[in-house]
Amino acid sequence: MRVATPSLDASGLRIALVASRFNHLISIRLLDGAREALLEHGADTDDLELFWVAGAFEIPQAARRIAETGRFDAIVTLGSVIRGGTPHFDYVCRGVTDGVREVMRTSNVPVGFGVLTTDDIDQALARAGGSDGNKGGEVALAAVEMARLVGDLDGNAAKAAGSGAVAS
Ligand code: INI
């Protein structure tokens, strides 16, 4: 059986990061986690490009246009939606999750979903480099793994590097 082994090798991959300015304090921590994980896994800083948007609701449109440029192998979305006293939280959460899923479904570019949806700021801080780790890093590596998988399925040897076939 051919097994496409997962690869977290980010070398040579062009990766776009889309970050929300809303709850900026959380976004910059997620961004630090994502950048650190990508560089640790071989990404070149010149291959990373950061796009700021106003809020999480804007992330899907930015991700869609970034995917359409054809310039990137993966997209990492970063932000946080923190529950307030109104249903607005639910609409923004639904907008960003449905929107990002749609970009993944309709484009060939993997999109890492790094938008935290939490009840309060402490839960967000815990997941943005605090006691629960840094979701920015985890999401960035998930996007790298998907970019390698897509490269493998596309028969793109350069993009599939590292996700070689092994017999088992
Ligand atoms: N945007 C966020 O990224 N996080 C939030 O918690 C949030 N809340 O709570 O309102 C938020 N709202 C702004 C929204 O994403 C859009 O930027 C705005 O509606 C303009 O389109």
Side-chain angles (χ1 to χ4, degrees), residues 61-72:
Q61 187 173 23
R64 145 95 39 224
R65 292 293 295 114
I66 289 165
E68 285 170 355
T69 66
R71 288 172 41 217
F72 296 95

Side-chain angles (χ1 to χ4, degrees), residues 20-29 52:
S20 157
R21 273 194 309 278
F22 206 102
N23 298 325
H24 183 255
L25 179 70
I26 305 297
S27 293
I28 55 175
R29 292 171 190 218
W52 285 105

Side-chain angles (χ1 to χ4, degrees), residues 20-23 54-58 79-84 88-89 92:
S20 157
R21 273 194 309 278
F22 206 102
N23 298 325
F57 201 72
E58 280 69 39
S80 60
V81 193
I82 300 176
R83 191 181 291 280
H88 190 66
F89 169 87
V92 175

Side-chain angles (χ1 to χ4, degrees), residues 13 16 56 121 168:
L13 294 182
I121 185 135
S168 71

Side-chain angles (χ1 to χ4, degrees), residues 1-2 17 19 50 53 77 135 137 163 166:
M1 180 169 68
R2 178 184 188 278
L17 301 113
L50 171 61
V53 293
T77 62
K135 299 296 170 195
S163 60
V166 296

